[in-house]
Amino acid sequence: MEDCGYEIRIINDEKGKGLFARRSFKEGDIIFEEKPIVCCQFAWNADYKYLACDNCMCPLENAEENARRLTGKTNLILPYAECCETKKELITECSLCGTKYCSNECLNDAMKKYHKTLCVQSRDKNDSHPLMQLKETWKQVHYPPETATIMLWARMIAYVNQADDKNLAQSLFNQFCHRTVNEDHEIAHKLLGEKFVGQIDVLRQSMENAMNIENTPNWFTPEGFRSLLALVGTNGQGIGTSAFSRWVKNVSALELPEEQRIQIDKFIDRIYDDMEEVVGTFLNNEGTGLYILQSSINHSCNPNAIVEFPYSNSTLIIKATRDIQFNDEICIGYLEECELERSRHSRQKALSSLYLFICRCDKCNSQADEDDVTSEEEDFDQDMSD
């Protein structure tokens, strides 16, 4: 990492590690891009027919199909078809189970990393298969909006099982933070809260029935399984992809006469209004992934960088949102932008339940004298439950 413009450093026992700039970055600069070790579409999202590559989450619908489904308007026609990025002619599938991929490259990558283990060997994915039972057990406990899926944990185990060097593969995951509680502040991770206590052992037994755990027995002790849940809960990066949003971006970049631009902008606005009536805010293929570099970046309520998915697949970029100087720590916001604008108390409440720390960033420190009042417009216990 000596020449790449950043490095991971150990900060202290409380914060652990962080990512620091080894050179200056201007606002808008891409600091790095990264593919996940593993990623997975959310279970409910897939069941609601959000069609994504099983390996990289690239959309499998073209923009017009995507817009028709989300608006409920089956006769909708999108102009500028050349602005759609979906290459349907490249879509392929597993010959045994029919799982779909955006390309042979993704199929081969999935086979190499985890799919040989997780392939149900049948196009009839019936409810009696242990993996299907595992997925259904998870869905009965975790309803939308989702923040995790049990199938990501299954892929982690399959990744280790298929690796040539199983110890090295497991060590990749062990480097992620996986503590279940913050003893200093008596915080337990949200996935391990009272609401789910009765389900954790059920999930553990369900996964033991569905997976070969011979290579990961330490993950299936009671405490080991809790740590496994917390690992994804504290490190999982949300992923969202959309064929229609990519079409919109490409259309917006076209050089058009003013009258034509006004018409297409109004057309796009109407489509988004129609989508909101039918599906609300659930517009994207949504899932989660584990990224080694991204997970080393600490949170700030006033971040100097942002996570983006510019290719509409699981490859992320970290982009500077303001100038970053040599030796500055690179920080992102773990919360959505609107959540970062809420009260200090609201931010602390969310960060402690999801990430097990009390934020002491400059913004929080400057607001330390504020009353501990939750923002009127939110209730994280309800809004962020699944």
Side-chain angles (χ1 to χ4, degrees):
M1 289 185 195
E2 193 171 25
D3 299 319
C4 60
Y6 53 83
E7 66 178 1
I8 298 173
R9 298 180 195 165
I10 300 298
I11 300 174
N12 53 44
D13 290 341
E14 183 177 5
K15 275 189 95 171
K17 58 190 176 183
L19 195 72
F20 289 80
R22 288 186 53 83
R23 64 174 179 84
S24 61
F25 293 94
K26 294 292 186 183
E27 179 182 349
D29 283 353
I30 295 174
I31 300 169
F32 66 81
E33 71 174 49
E34 183 178 19
K35 293 182 178 181
I37 304 176
V38 288
C39 69
C40 190
Q41 187 178 7
F42 291 140
W44 284 105
N45 190 262
D47 283 359
Y48 285 140
K49 308 302 180 186
Y50 287 77
L51 305 178
C53 171
D54 198 58
N55 186 57
C56 77
M57 288 193 58
C58 179
L60 299 182
E61 296 173 302
N62 62 34
E64 189 169 270
E65 291 169 333
N66 189 212
R68 286 178 175 182
R69 180 172 58 81
L70 295 177
T71 61
K73 296 186 173 181
T74 57
N75 296 322
L76 178 65
I77 303 295
L78 294 186
Y80 309 110
E82 70 277 9
C83 289
C84 175
E85 297 180 0
T86 305
K87 296 179 172 58
K88 297 197 72 169
E89 69 276 9
L90 299 181
I91 294 174
T92 187
E93 62 183 40
C94 171
S95 60
L96 294 175
C97 69
T99 297
K100 294 187 182 299
Y101 300 90
C102 66
S103 64
N104 279 320
E105 181 182 5
C106 265
L107 169 60
N108 293 335
D109 188 49
M111 284 290 185
K112 180 180 178 182
K113 291 198 297 188
Y114 58 84
H115 188 68
K116 286 180 182 177
T117 296
L118 299 179
C119 180
V120 297
Q121 303 287 312
S122 170
R123 291 171 182 270
D124 179 20
K125 299 179 177 67
N126 61 73
D127 292 341
S128 65
H129 193 285
L131 280 171
M132 296 300 104
Q133 290 181 338
L134 176 64
K135 181 179 174 182
E136 288 304 312
T137 299
W138 173 265
K139 285 168 57 186
Q140 294 312 308
V141 184
H142 295 267
Y143 294 96
E146 299 163 276
T147 57
T149 171
I150 198 67
M151 299 312 293
L152 184 66
W153 286 285
R155 290 189 183 187
M156 292 167 61
I157 296 160
Y159 184 99
V160 174
N161 288 346
Q162 289 188 205
D164 293 331
D165 187 334
K166 296 178 182 5
N167 289 330
L168 178 62
Q170 189 168 168
S171 71
L172 280 177
F173 297 110
N174 288 342
Q175 67 184 289
F176 291 98
C177 171
H178 52 273
R179 60 179 178 172
T180 58
V181 297
N182 182 327
E183 292 85 355
D184 293 341
H185 301 287
E186 297 183 349
I187 306 167
H189 192 272
K190 183 185 169 201
L191 283 176
L192 307 175
E194 292 182 8
K195 179 178 176 182
F196 303 120
V197 165
Q199 305 296 332
I200 293 173
D201 280 340
V202 173
L203 284 171
R204 179 164 62 96
Q205 291 162 11
S206 229
M207 186 164 269
E208 285 185 8
N209 291 336
M211 304 291 299
N212 172 12
I213 66 168
E214 179 182 349
N215 298 302
T216 53
N218 54 311
W219 285 353
F220 284 88
T221 64
E223 185 55 34
F225 192 70
R226 288 169 59 85
S227 293
L228 195 64
L229 293 179
L231 185 155
V232 171
T234 54
N235 295 279
Q237 166 64 51
I239 301 168
T241 67
S242 165
F244 179 71
S245 68
R246 293 298 296 171
W247 176 85
V248 169
K249 182 175 181 179
N250 292 333
V251 168
S252 298
L254 294 175
E255 293 186 6
L256 299 174
E258 184 178 357
E259 184 60 33
Q260 213 169 325
R261 170 59 61 197
I262 291 172
Q263 289 178 355
I264 191 63
D265 286 348
K266 287 181 178 178
F267 176 71
I268 289 169
D269 288 342
R270 284 198 303 271
I271 292 177
Y272 274 123
D273 287 342
D274 291 340
M275 288 179 177
E276 185 172 2
E277 287 187 14
V278 176
V279 296
T281 59
F282 297 98
L283 301 180
N284 299 335
N285 307 316
E286 294 185 346
T288 185
L290 292 173
Y291 300 79
I292 293 177
L293 270 177
Q294 176 272 339
S295 70
S296 71
I297 304 177
N298 285 316
H299 165 84
S300 170
C301 295
N302 185 26
N304 56 14
I306 192 172
V307 178
E308 292 184 349
F309 292 88
Y311 313 115
S312 202
N313 59 22
S314 60
T315 299
L316 62 72
I317 64 168
I318 302 296
K319 185 169 76 174
T321 55
R322 61 176 185 267
D323 290 354
I324 298 173
Q325 305 304 318
F326 172 77
N327 233 20
D328 284 354
E329 184 176 5
I330 298 165
C331 293
I332 58 176
Y334 290 0
L335 304 176
E336 297 290 337
E337 187 174 349
C338 61
E339 294 163 352
L340 292 176
E341 297 304 316
R342 291 172 176 161
S343 70
R344 175 179 179 272
H345 179 66
S346 296
R347 301 195 308 270
Q348 298 280 7
K349 184 178 177 183
L351 291 166
S352 63
S353 67
L354 292 170
Y355 300 103
L356 300 179
F357 69 87
I358 301 299
C359 185
R360 295 190 177 90
C361 71
D362 291 343
K363 183 175 180 178
C364 283
N365 286 340
S366 70
Q367 298 173 344
D369 294 333
E370 291 184 2
D371 293 335
D372 286 345
V373 178
T374 301
S375 299
E376 292 181 3
E377 72 274 18
E378 62 82 38
D379 182 344
F380 274 104
D381 287 337
Q382 179 173 341
D383 291 350
M384 303 181 73
S385 65
D386 61 285

